[in-house]
Each structure stands twice: as structure tokens, then as C-alpha cells.
Amino acid sequence: MESESELNAELSASSGLFKGIGIVLMILGVIAIIFPWFASLAVVTFAGWVLVIGALFIFGSAFMIHDVGGTFVRILWSLVALIAGVILLVNTDGSVGFLTAVLAIYFIIAGLVKVTVAATNRGQSGAGWIAVNGILSLIIGLIIIADISNTKDWAIGLLLGIDFIFAGFTLIMIGTRAKQLSQADRDRTERERG
């Protein structure tokens, strides 16, 4: 088991990567919000690509911290995003209702995974942001399910964009906090030596 100082140093070393992935997710989210008015197929195809690309970045972030439980949950989250994205991409002739249901299920499962990550990392830096992001994903999924017959094509891109922007913001905040904690540890170590 790593000490808190070692974990903070490890987080600090990965803080730039956290921030970079967060920025990419936020950009993908903004793109999803800017282009939600395309025809149904274009929105769903775009959402599929956003999920596939996002899944790759989420998968990459799973290995930044050497916490087996956290790594496993992040890998699971990336697989859920990848599967949802691939389903959207290969079912181009499917109904909008089916494809919208796939996105709703993605949001619900991703929300549950994020809340689980937050619960397993309770008390650690960024866990609160992950919990809020998970709750937001759950709410988005439930909103879609509650009115799936009237969900407009623009709502798919808008809701996905909001989710990715908040996920990106969460990673940026975690990266920033990790850098601060590592600096605080270095300062404390210097005071103890001096």
C-alpha cells in the first residue's frame, strides 16, 4: 500500500495528463453541443464517434494511478463507452428510439461507475467531483428514459456534450488538486528537514 505522500507524488506526475485528457473531453463535449442540429443519423453517428474517442481517453486515464480498484472501474467505464459508441456506429439503419435508448443506458451505467469510483476513493482529492459527475450522468440518463419518445435529435448531442464537458472539468480539477497536494507534501518535507 502506498503512503499518502507517494500517492500524491504519483498524482502530481500525472496531473498534466489528467488536465490534457480533461481538455480533450471538454473539446469533444463542446463539439457535441455545437453540432446537435444535424439529421438524426448524423447526430447519432457523431455521438458514436464521441463515445469511441472518449472511451480511448478514459481507458488511458485508467493507468495513471496504480490503484487496482480504480483502474478496474475506469477500464469498465471505458468499455461501456466503447460498446455504446460502436453500437451507435454500426446501427445506422436502426431507429432513433433504439439509438437514444442505447445512449440513455450508457449514461446510467457510466453514472453508476463514476459514483462507484467516487465511493471507493472517498476522502481522496477529486472524489467529490467524480461523484457529482456520476450523479449528473445518472440524471441525464433518467431524463432521456423518462421521455424517450419525445427526445429530440438535438438533445442527444446536447446531453452528451454536457456530460463530456463536466467529465473533462472533473479531470482538470483532479489534476490541479493533485499538483497542489504534491507541492504541500514537498513543503512539509522541507520544513521537517529544516
Side-chain angles (χ1 to χ4, degrees):
M1 182 95 189
E2 293 179 288
S3 72
E4 186 176 336
S5 293
E6 290 170 336
L7 183 60
N8 287 343
E10 189 176 312
L11 279 170
S12 177
S14 301
S15 70
L17 194 52
F18 273 117
K19 291 176 186 176
I21 291 171
I23 290 168
V24 169
L25 286 176
M26 289 182 78
I27 290 169
L28 289 172
V30 168
I31 291 170
I33 289 172
I34 291 174
F35 298 107
W37 302 281
F38 286 116
S40 172
L41 179 60
V43 171
V44 172
T45 301
F46 179 74
W49 279 113
V50 167
L51 282 167
V52 168
I53 293 168
L56 296 174
F57 283 98
I58 294 165
F59 183 79
S61 74
F63 299 99
M64 285 194 269
I65 300 175
H66 302 289
D67 169 13
V68 176
T71 299
F72 175 75
V73 172
R74 286 176 181 89
I75 290 172
L76 180 62
W77 176 18
S78 70
L79 288 175
V80 168
L82 180 65
I83 291 167
V86 169
I87 288 172
L88 291 176
L89 291 172
V90 298
N91 283 307
T92 56
D93 59 340
S95 72
V96 175
F98 169 75
L99 298 175
T100 304
V102 168
L103 272 178
I105 291 167
Y106 159 74
F107 281 120
I108 291 169
I109 293 173
L112 292 172
V113 168
K114 292 172 194 176
V115 168
T116 302
V117 167
T120 59
N121 293 309
R122 188 172 174 206
Q124 292 185 10
S125 177
W129 287 108
I130 295 171
V132 170
N133 185 232
I135 291 167
L136 179 65
S137 294
L138 282 169
I139 290 170
I140 290 170
L142 293 173
I143 287 171
I144 294 171
I145 291 286
D147 197 20
I148 201 161
S149 63
N150 292 322
T151 302
K152 303 290 183 207
D153 298 333
W154 59 266
I156 295 170
L158 179 66
L159 295 173
L160 185 63
I162 290 168
D163 183 64
F164 269 52
I165 286 173
F166 202 88
F169 177 75
T170 301
L171 285 174
I172 290 169
M173 294 307 296
I174 290 170
T176 300
R177 183 68 179 140
K179 195 72 162 177
Q180 292 169 346
L181 287 173
S182 180
Q183 183 61 44
D185 280 346
R186 283 193 297 269
D187 293 345
R188 185 176 54 244
T189 302
E190 287 178 22
R191 281 193 307 269
E192 289 172 357
R193 288 181 186 167

